[in-house]
Amino acid sequence: MIFFHLSDLHIGKQLHHYNLREDQEHILSEVIARAEELHPDAVLIAGDIYDKSVPSGEAVSLFDDFLTRLSAVRPAIPVLIIAGNHDSAQRLDYASRLLGSHQIYISGKAPETEEDHLRKVTLQDAYGEVNFYLLPFLKPGYVRGLCGGELPENYTAAVKAVLDREEIDFTQRNVLLSHQFYTGRDSRTGLEVSPETCDSEVLSVGGIDNVDISVLRGFDYVALGHLHGAQKVGEEQIRYCGTLLKYSVSESNQEKTLHVVELGEKGTQPVLKKLPLHPLRDVRRIRGTLEEVIGSARSDQKNDYVSITLTDEIDPYKPKEQLEKVYSHILEIRMDNERTRRKLEFSDEEIRIEDPLSAFADFYREMQGRELSGEEQDVLQKVFDDVKGEA
């Protein structure tokens, strides 16, 4: 059985102040093209369909178009979807029974009562049945009703409580979709496994939302969502596929791929193929003097999303204006030279900004290459006074 493993589409997301609709539409069209070419037996989407729990109409329309076009591929491809922490379970579950009749299976909420169970979808191939269990994002409080009214002591206990009551027959082939932050120990080396994370992911301070991978052992493949970098967690068959696009500067060095999983007969290791993706625009870091950054600009990279660090020791004249003539999608411009490094060498004394207007004036001079005019200073002073309640 062959299936696509996707997650963290984050439809509706912005990268700094740029709307990513065109980029997301482009990359989802590439997924559909691959589906038409390879005809997988299923497409798995492991959570965070949208970037916000209340997605915009534009975001809903884009996902609807994706599902509509995917459903039109023949032979028909079952699509299995779970909610992530960014999704609204209720909104994602809307019309799920109707969509199920079109082989689009959605699970928005984890089981909350004794009557509730994980959604299970069984597909068939040459080796027999494959059971797909859909486990949406959960917190311990969500499953209190499954634990006799008691709050599970941690996230691991909560996930274990949900899986144990399903009484899964592990002599069969079973695949789990889950959207959590999994950690644990590699069964071969015994070493602690700590997945790589990036700036675009929100994790609890202190790791209180960790789920130990011990609860996943026994599954033939675990399709994870939540982390944006593709990686295994302790076992080859326990995997985050990562995002289709780069959603932060911290992901600039990551290679985004389409994960295609081939599941053979029981007892054999799944075979993973990572197909290259071709985003409309890349996300890149560029470092050098203003002259070097402008001089090294390639025509095929000028529309990329770029984070620029300038290393000029003498502040260049109007760097932002000069760079915008070359790069169309600038995310940020930073300065890194001897002067800025000295500013980062904190003394033992408490740092105070006594005059916000002076601090902003210094920043403005550095970024724009000129002083604030008298009129601009008056406007800013009024803003600062309003904030302090002195106006």
Side-chain angles (χ1 to χ4, degrees):
M1 179 168 292
I2 295 175
F3 54 84
F4 290 179
H5 173 192
L6 314 176
S7 79
D8 296 85
L9 305 182
H10 286 285
I11 297 175
K13 186 176 179 61
Q14 290 192 333
L15 181 56
H16 289 223
H17 54 282
Y18 293 105
N19 186 322
L20 295 179
R21 177 187 171 90
E22 190 179 15
D23 302 81
Q24 293 179 327
E25 192 170 33
H26 174 86
I27 208 69
L28 291 174
S29 291
E30 184 168 348
V31 172
I32 292 169
R34 285 294 195 178
E36 292 172 338
E37 173 193 354
L38 301 175
H39 294 285
D41 298 293
V43 173
L44 281 50
I45 309 180
D48 278 0
I49 308 305
Y50 298 112
D51 192 55
K52 297 179 180 178
S53 59
V54 184
S56 66
E58 181 180 75
V60 173
S61 176
L62 179 54
F63 187 54
D64 176 69
D65 179 68
F66 172 66
L67 287 182
T68 300
R69 294 171 63 192
L70 194 56
S71 298
V73 177
R74 291 292 179 268
I77 302 172
V79 182
L80 285 60
I81 304 169
I82 61 171
N85 57 301
H86 280 252
D87 299 312
S88 163
Q90 290 80 5
R91 284 183 171 83
L92 206 58
D93 260 338
Y94 177 74
S96 60
R97 283 183 291 180
L98 174 62
L99 291 171
S101 64
H102 296 275
Q103 297 193 72
I104 298 175
Y105 304 98
I106 300 176
S107 182
K109 295 174 64 178
E112 296 180 351
T113 69
E114 289 294 339
E115 292 74 30
D116 297 334
H117 284 271
L118 290 180
R119 187 161 196 175
K120 175 184 173 183
V121 179
T122 300
L123 302 179
Q124 195 92 14
D125 71 0
Y127 298 107
E129 295 182 340
V130 179
N131 303 309
F132 293 83
Y133 289 90
L134 279 57
L135 174 60
F137 174 76
L138 60 81
K139 295 181 179 180
Y142 295 178
V143 297
R144 186 195 299 264
L146 305 182
C147 304
E150 297 292 326
L151 184 69
E153 61 178 322
N154 52 39
Y155 277 71
T156 299
V159 172
K160 187 175 188 301
V162 172
L163 294 177
D164 284 351
R165 65 193 298 272
E166 296 299 322
E167 299 182 350
I168 298 170
D169 181 359
F170 285 108
T171 64
Q172 299 181 352
R173 291 178 298 163
N174 300 292
V175 175
L176 177 71
L177 282 71
S178 181
H179 190 99
Q180 305 283 161
F181 180 44
Y182 284 94
T183 60
R185 293 187 179 277
D186 189 307
S187 62
R188 291 172 299 177
T189 65
L191 298 175
E192 188 73 22
V193 177
S194 183
E196 296 180 6
T197 62
C198 57
D199 293 346
S200 50
E201 300 151 358
V202 179
L203 305 174
S204 297
V205 176
I208 61 171
D209 57 355
N210 293 12
V211 180
D212 192 276
I213 60 170
S214 59
V215 301
L216 303 178
R217 294 196 172 108
F219 285 97
D220 297 274
Y221 187 82
V222 183
L224 298 178
H226 194 38
L227 301 188
H228 291 191
Q231 57 197 293
K232 68 175 184 178
V233 189
E235 309 282 350
E236 290 293 334
Q237 74 277 11
I238 303 175
R239 288 194 168 270
Y240 289 101
C241 64
T243 53
L244 297 173
L245 292 171
K246 298 175 182 179
Y247 284 134
S248 72
V249 175
S250 63
E251 297 174 48
S252 61
N253 291 327
Q254 292 182 359
E255 181 184 2
K256 302 298 185 179
T257 58
L258 174 62
H259 280 42
V260 182
V261 181
E262 182 176 355
L263 194 65
E265 61 182 320
K266 183 69 178 180
T268 61
Q269 192 72 24
V271 177
L272 173 65
K273 293 182 181 179
K274 298 181 181 181
L275 303 183
L277 291 167
H278 306 87
L280 197 60
R281 303 174 185 89
D282 199 2
V283 176
R284 297 189 298 115
R285 281 190 172 109
I286 307 174
R287 180 182 177 88
T289 64
L290 179 61
E291 182 179 357
E292 290 169 344
V293 170
I294 292 176
S296 64
R298 287 171 23 190
S299 59
D300 61 336
Q301 296 178 338
K302 291 182 178 181
N303 287 324
D304 289 345
Y305 297 107
V306 293
S307 168
I308 299 172
T309 300
L310 298 178
T311 59
D312 302 80
E313 289 300 332
I314 299 176
D315 291 347
Y317 177 70
K318 292 189 176 180
K320 185 171 183 288
E321 285 85 344
Q322 294 190 60
L323 290 166
E324 285 178 336
K325 292 177 182 178
V326 179
Y327 296 100
S328 61
H329 293 80
I330 297 175
L331 301 176
E332 58 189 357
I333 301 172
R334 299 172 177 267
M335 292 295 301
D336 182 18
N337 53 31
E338 187 178 348
R339 176 176 54 81
T340 58
R341 286 192 290 272
R342 280 202 308 268
K343 286 184 177 181
L344 294 175
E345 294 175 358
F346 296 106
S347 67
D348 293 334
E349 298 179 1
E350 181 180 357
I351 297 174
R352 293 186 180 182
I353 300 176
E354 299 293 349
D355 182 0
L357 180 59
S358 297
F360 185 84
D362 289 342
F363 170 76
Y364 188 86
R365 185 187 311 110
E366 182 174 316
M367 299 306 297
Q368 300 297 329
R370 70 172 180 85
E371 302 289 343
L372 288 166
S373 68
E375 183 180 358
E376 289 168 335
Q377 290 186 49
D378 291 342
V379 170
L380 281 167
Q381 189 62 62
K382 185 178 186 308
V383 170
F384 292 135
D385 290 345
D386 287 344
V387 171
K388 292 189 293 185
E390 295 179 1

